[in-house]
Amino acid sequence: MVKAAYVHIPFCEHICHYCDFNKVFLKNQPVDQYVNSLLLEMERTLKREPTRALTTVYIGGGTPTALSAKQLDVLLEGMRNILPIEEVIEFTIEVNPDSIEEDKLAVLKKHGINRLSIGVQSFDEELLKGIGRTHSRTSVLDAVTRSKSLGFENISLDLMFGLPGQTPEAFKETIHEAIDLGVEHLSAYSLKVEEKTVFYNRQRQGKLILPQEDDEISMYEILLEETKKANFSQYEISNFAKAGFESRHNLVYWNNEEYYGFGAGAHGYVNGIRYQNHGPLPKYLKAIDAHTAPILNQHEVSPVERIEEAMFMGLRKRNGVNRDEFKGLYGRSVDDCFGEQIDMLQKRGLLVVENNRVKITEEGLLLSNEVFEQFIAVLDE
């Protein structure tokens, strides 16, 4: 039974240089039509693939808070009427520091949103300009203060490292500033230069100067050290939380569980099928108008693929993969499926087996992609 939903809002008031998510400039876009179409998609999907109750909902983007307070109110009121969210434990929305006015926060609070994910990336204002962000350090401080004053008690900040011009010392200062704000959760990701981004074009032209690999490794090591000092638990490779504030929605992905994906470009996983919606807004809206599912492509996940996904996604979690739970879910033991790979990675010091769990080591964290690759396309159908 599906217990989670992701909702995509593709609108942005500006486009960051590193972002390859499905997004469009907000100006002159049919936002009201999109909100109505999004609600229609939810209604039709729930009729086709019903569920009893959702426990987590995540609204991402794009920039969800690029919507006006009225548009957010229409969206959230519609969601409450369509989705079974009476038992939702974690209801998250992504916000930008410079689009988080009090009237919008009041709407979010009114409709039961209880977790904010604020896109900070850095507190270094020169660095922010260099990556195409428009907010300032002060606007981040104001956003957190304002959110807390209105009763939001679960706030996460997104940070980035490995950015052009960033040093380990500068990243350490950013971590300290984030921790000093008294938030409950931090996500920190290294820059990946993706196609169809400003940074990709600059890199092709030889104009993008990134930190050396040793410096990027140092930044990650600093991240692990400083969050640990501040009593944040690293529960996943890139995510750190105070006790009890781990992201339940993200754990849906890492536990290989199913979830609805609503909106232009959204991905979902329902009834054993992974799917992706049309990304371009006109195609998405046209499909909704035609009373058809706005799906671009879909793939039925085979039993072997489910096993492999469960292994490499489960290893992203610091508590790893429980061998008994794995066998109970998939009917095969971890050792039967991946004994050779686990043995090899143990000898290299990248994995460890303890307390009946297969877990990535501190050294393995630095080579995590190499670890995960060992579990992809290795089993026979």
Side-chain angles (χ1 to χ4, degrees), residues 58-109:
Y58 192 105
I59 304 176
T63 309
T65 48
L67 272 60
S68 69
K70 182 178 179 180
Q71 289 164 340
L72 285 168
D73 192 43
V74 171
L75 172 64
L76 294 169
E77 180 68 26
M79 288 173 61
R80 297 197 74 82
N81 291 331
I82 296 167
L83 303 179
I85 58 178
E86 296 82 6
E87 299 178 22
V88 161
I89 298 170
E90 181 184 275
F91 198 163
T92 304
I93 190 168
E94 292 180 351
V95 301
N96 269 10
D98 51 3
S99 63
I100 192 169
E101 298 90 349
E102 283 200 18
D103 60 342
K104 295 181 183 180
L105 284 171
V107 169
L108 304 184
K109 193 71 177 173

Side-chain angles (χ1 to χ4, degrees), residues 1 6 9 11 35 135 156 184 186-187 235 300 306:
M1 188 70 71
Y6 172 79
I9 307 297
F11 307 110
V35 170
H135 70 264
S156 176
E184 290 70 35
L186 297 173
S187 296
Y235 67 99
E300 185 172 355
R306 289 183 65 224

